[in-house]
Amino acid sequence: MDRTKTRIINGFEHIAYEHATYPEEEMLRRSRSYYDWLNKRRSVREFSDKTVPKQVIENLIMSASTAPSGAHKQPWVFCAVSNQELKSKIREAAEAEEKLSYESRMSERWIKDLAQIGTDMHKPFIETAPWIVIVFKKVYDIDEDGSKHNNYYVNESVGIACGMFISAIQNAGLVTLTHTPSPMNFLAKLLGRPSNERAYILFPIGYAQEEVFVPKLERKSIEEVSCFYE
Ligand code: IYR
């Protein structure tokens, strides 16, 4: 393939793209081992306070930011907090919301569904984990003259980026969980975010505590999560 070859489409330059392919046997082996590796991931709620280099967090964010997005707008911002004082403020505000949620906003059925996960209104991981990354979605972009332009498929785009972020965290040998205090608008306030950004998910990131327990869960089978039309 001539990699210097380009093509003009609608006046925009397109570059020749090359990617790895594998013989079927190798493809089978790789797809199975990727699944086995991803299947080892668990949401962890008990964190060690051991530090993680900032460069690692930057690499995780850049990995997530390779996600596809509507019209390539990349409508996300990853806010990484290691400042202890700020983490304490975030924990305090998150727990205040969670207290209301657990005590009055969540249905009985929801509370029952969560019993096996073992969560409650207390969120010590926000202070213990060396980093917390709050992902904001950008519902619109603001250009130089101040006019607003809505982004496209924002939830889909940011959701995919978050999935890739989780996978990058797993690949680095670190753990996380998806924390979604609701409502989440206190996060934009505490972090001084602009009006076009909405908090999406909070990820504590770090090492698990030396001895850590997770719920004994089963994942659904291929039959339960798929339907093939051949
Ligand atoms: N946002 C709350 C409640 C919660 C909700 C679901 I759905 C979970 O899978 C886990 C927790 C919290 O973070 O505790």
Side-chain angles (χ1 to χ4, degrees):
M1 187 194 292
D2 180 1
R3 258 171 277 159
T4 58
K5 226 164 131 185
T6 61
R7 205 184 263 182
I8 305 297
I9 298 177
N10 296 332
F12 291 87
E13 193 172 46
H14 287 230
I15 53 171
Y17 172 62
E18 220 179 347
H19 73 105
T21 58
Y22 307 99
E24 267 182 24
E25 219 172 281
E26 172 73 352
M27 201 193 296
L28 260 173
R29 197 194 59 73
R30 289 178 67 97
S31 57
R32 176 73 214 190
S33 72
Y34 187 68
Y35 161 51
D36 288 340
W37 170 78
L38 266 187
N39 200 22
K40 292 199 180 90
R41 185 204 60 78
R42 294 301 308 265
S43 289
V44 166
R45 294 187 154 71
E46 292 157 294
F47 283 74
S48 148
D49 61 2
K50 188 175 169 191
T51 58
V52 169
K54 180 181 175 184
Q55 183 69 56
V56 171
I57 303 299
E58 288 181 350
N59 290 338
L60 301 178
I61 293 171
M62 288 309 282
S63 300
S65 207
T66 65
S69 61
H72 189 53
K73 294 292 183 184
Q74 298 185 266
W76 47 66
V77 180
F78 290 72
C79 294
V81 181
S82 64
N83 180 286
Q84 207 56 45
E85 214 176 295
L86 192 48
K87 284 196 292 178
S88 299
K89 280 190 189 151
I90 292 172
R91 175 184 177 180
E92 197 186 326
E95 287 184 336
E97 290 297 354
E98 291 294 78
K99 184 167 163 37
L100 285 174
S101 293
Y102 278 87
E103 286 179 353
S104 56
R105 292 197 282 234
M106 286 151 75
S107 65
E108 249 173 67
R109 165 110 199 184
W110 192 350
I111 298 282
K112 224 169 117 205
D113 276 340
L114 283 183
Q116 60 165 345
I117 314 274
T119 60
D120 59 28
M121 65 182 78
H122 303 289
K123 305 297 170 190
F125 54 76
I126 298 177
E127 275 182 308
T128 321
W131 291 95
I132 56 170
V133 171
I134 300 99
V135 184
F136 287 85
K137 63 178 181 185
K138 286 181 166 185
V139 282
Y140 56 88
D141 280 333
I142 309 165
D143 65 19
E144 306 83 60
D145 67 15
S147 46
K148 297 175 181 178
H149 303 279
N150 278 339
N151 284 320
Y152 314 100
Y153 299 101
V154 171
N155 283 316
E156 292 83 349
S157 303
V158 182
I160 295 167
C162 287
M164 292 173 69
F165 191 53
I166 291 169
S167 171
I169 293 168
Q170 162 93 343
N171 181 58
L174 298 171
V175 295
T176 190
L177 70 100
T178 51
H179 178 45
T180 50
S182 174
M184 291 181 99
N185 39 9
F186 69 89
L187 288 164
K189 244 183 246 155
L190 281 175
L191 296 172
R193 302 312 304 168
S195 60
N196 61 328
E197 294 180 15
R198 309 274 180 278
Y200 190 79
I201 294 181
L202 182 159
F203 293 100
I205 301 170
Y207 296 89
Q209 258 175 28
E210 206 160 306
E211 187 178 54
V212 74
F213 293 88
V214 295
K216 190 174 174 210
L217 302 178
E218 289 290 330
R219 290 189 164 122
K220 289 180 179 175
S221 66
I222 183 71
E223 290 77 21
E224 291 170 293
V225 300
S226 65
C227 205
F228 284 78
Y229 302 82
E230 290 177 277

